[in-house]
Amino acid sequence: MRYVRHCRTALVAALASVLLTPVPAVAATAASPRIPAGATTRRVPVDTAAWTDWHLRQGATTHHASSADPTDTVTVTCQAPHAPDLATRLAQDIHAALSSRDGTVSVAVQDDSGLTCARAGERQYDSASVVKVLIMEGLLRRAEELGRRLTPWEETNVRPMIVSSDNDSAARLWADLGRTYLNDFLTRVRTTATLLGPGRYWGLTRTTATDQLRLLDVLTNAQSFLRTRAYGLKLLSEVRADQRWGVPAGMPQGLTAHVKNGWLPRATHGWRVHSIGAFTGEGRGYRIVVLSHDNPTMAYGVRTIERIAQAVHRGLGQGRGLGRDLTPETAISEESDGSAPYEPLPGWDEPEPDATP
């Protein structure tokens, strides 16, 4: 057994070495069918030295996190104590929306009446740009704890980070808040499986649909500890038009969508395509989270998410007319959100239990 484990470790190290070796652009495109030909994907370089230093300081505890929990189920489960028929129908509709789709998908839904739906809610994914909601909430909470409003510098960074998904702003706020504060914030939110990305790699934060639902609840729950949650919701409602695909698809008329998306291709698991959103108005509200990877293209992942969203909005819309159609594939750019490296990060991406970075 020790010999087999040694061989596996050596094989992983060899593969990592090959994957991190620069290759000509044409060869890289040809060898990576998950990245569409002609796409303008931005590759973020791996800072191996910074990662190694961070890993040594953190110890081996991060190896306990895996890319997927083998106990996850692919069954869609909905519960609604006061509307059992609705729960049954909604579970069937979400399952039907996924029945002909490839990829790995997790779903979490919750409305103010107590209805919940879940599918593989504890499976972990690279967060890509949806982690910016966590950064925003942490920023707002820190200002509250200090008894002040956001500073001009904080406002100058948080708005573009959310509204246009600006990565430089996210990097500045991530560094300013620091890992200790963000981890304390996650503890306050009672997340159970969200692990901050190593070093400066905020886009590699691992998260689950269940935890993203908890983070949305911080913004939508009237009893939330975050007193300035209305400011965060306002920013999410102002996300620019070309980044409002995903869970708003099929949204009933009269509601406001507060949305944040992530779209990131990597050498393993293809495209990560995520969409999280809160829907408010007319005295009601609900939240939808869909996380996915193993998508062959960004457009494919977007369409999967929007089919699920249509099913949820139809079920929870209470007869209201649907006000938003599917996003045309011609409007999807197939360009990465640039939140994390394309290449595997040694010691972070799917490590063997006894592997060394």
Side-chain angles (χ1 to χ4, degrees):
M1 180 62 70
R2 181 176 298 176
Y3 174 76
V4 172
R5 285 165 43 188
H6 174 76
C7 290
R8 290 175 63 194
T9 301
L11 178 58
V12 170
L15 287 173
S17 175
V18 171
L19 289 169
L20 290 172
T21 301
V23 295
V26 174
T29 301
S32 182
R34 296 184 186 276
I35 308 302
T40 55
T41 300
R42 174 189 174 191
R43 293 191 175 188
V44 180
V46 175
D47 186 346
T48 306
W51 155 243
T52 301
D53 176 68
W54 180 90
H55 180 74
L56 290 174
R57 286 185 282 109
Q58 295 298 311
T61 56
T62 56
H63 284 185
H64 294 302
S66 61
S67 61
D69 183 344
T71 64
D72 278 343
T73 175
V74 295
T75 301
V76 179
T77 303
C78 293
Q79 298 179 341
H82 305 295
D85 291 343
L86 171 61
T88 299
R89 184 170 66 252
L90 192 52
Q92 293 172 343
D93 289 348
I94 295 173
H95 178 76
L98 284 163
S99 61
S100 62
R101 308 299 290 177
D102 294 326
T104 302
V105 183
S106 293
V107 180
V109 177
Q110 182 182 58
D111 81 348
D112 292 344
S113 73
L115 177 143
T116 62
C117 292
R119 181 186 194 270
E122 302 306 317
R123 179 175 285 125
Q124 288 182 314
Y125 298 81
D126 291 335
S127 65
S129 283
V130 297
V131 74
K132 292 167 181 172
V133 173
L134 163 63
I135 298 173
M136 176 187 72
E137 291 181 1
L139 186 72
L140 294 176
R141 180 59 181 171
R142 184 179 67 175
E144 291 179 0
E145 291 173 343
L146 295 174
R148 62 168 175 77
R149 300 169 60 90
L150 295 182
T151 66
W153 181 86
E154 289 170 337
E155 289 184 340
T156 299
N157 282 284
V158 71
R159 181 173 179 80
M161 178 183 72
I162 297 297
V163 174
S164 60
S165 205
D166 183 74
N167 290 335
D168 292 336
S169 296
R172 285 189 285 267
L173 293 176
W174 171 269
D176 185 59
L177 287 165
R179 306 182 63 80
T180 299
Y181 187 85
L182 288 170
N183 275 320
D184 288 345
F185 184 81
L186 288 171
T187 298
R188 179 66 186 270
V189 179
R190 298 183 180 179
T191 59
T192 61
T194 295
L195 182 65
L196 297 179
R200 64 185 178 88
Y201 297 110
W202 44 266
L204 292 184
T205 294
R206 291 193 179 120
T207 193
T208 67
T210 298
D211 279 354
Q212 287 302 307
L213 202 60
R214 291 187 177 104
L215 287 163
L216 285 177
D217 190 62
V218 171
L219 296 173
T220 59
N221 190 333
Q223 306 303 317
S224 172
F225 63 84
L226 190 66
R227 299 188 303 276
T228 51
R229 61 189 182 86
Y231 179 84
L233 282 173
K234 185 175 186 296
L235 289 181
L236 292 174
S237 72
E238 296 173 352
V239 167
R240 71 188 202 190
D242 64 335
Q243 295 181 12
R244 297 182 69 78
W245 45 263
V247 292
M251 180 182 72
Q253 297 174 356
L255 296 184
T256 299
H258 313 269
V259 64
K260 188 71 194 81
N261 296 330
W263 56 104
L264 174 70
R266 301 197 68 210
T268 58
H269 292 300
W271 277 87
R272 289 96 171 115
V273 186
H274 311 318
S275 186
I276 67 174
F279 302 88
T280 61
E282 301 184 348
R284 65 191 306 269
Y286 53 91
R287 291 140 308 273
I288 306 173
V289 173
V290 185
L291 307 181
S292 70
H293 61 207
D294 296 317
N295 296 291
T297 66
M298 177 179 167
Y300 188 92
V302 170
R303 184 63 76 241
T304 297
I305 291 172
E306 293 190 338
R307 288 186 178 188
I308 296 168
Q310 281 185 322
V312 174
H313 289 304
R314 185 168 57 247
L316 300 181
Q318 299 178 351
R320 293 181 177 88
L322 301 184
R324 183 182 177 92
D325 204 351
L326 298 174
T327 302
E329 291 197 13
T330 55
I332 302 172
S333 70
E334 296 293 337
E335 181 176 356
S336 170
D337 67 10
S339 60
Y342 175 84
E343 297 84 0
L345 202 62
W348 181 257
D349 288 306
E350 301 180 352
E352 294 290 331
D354 55 350
T356 55

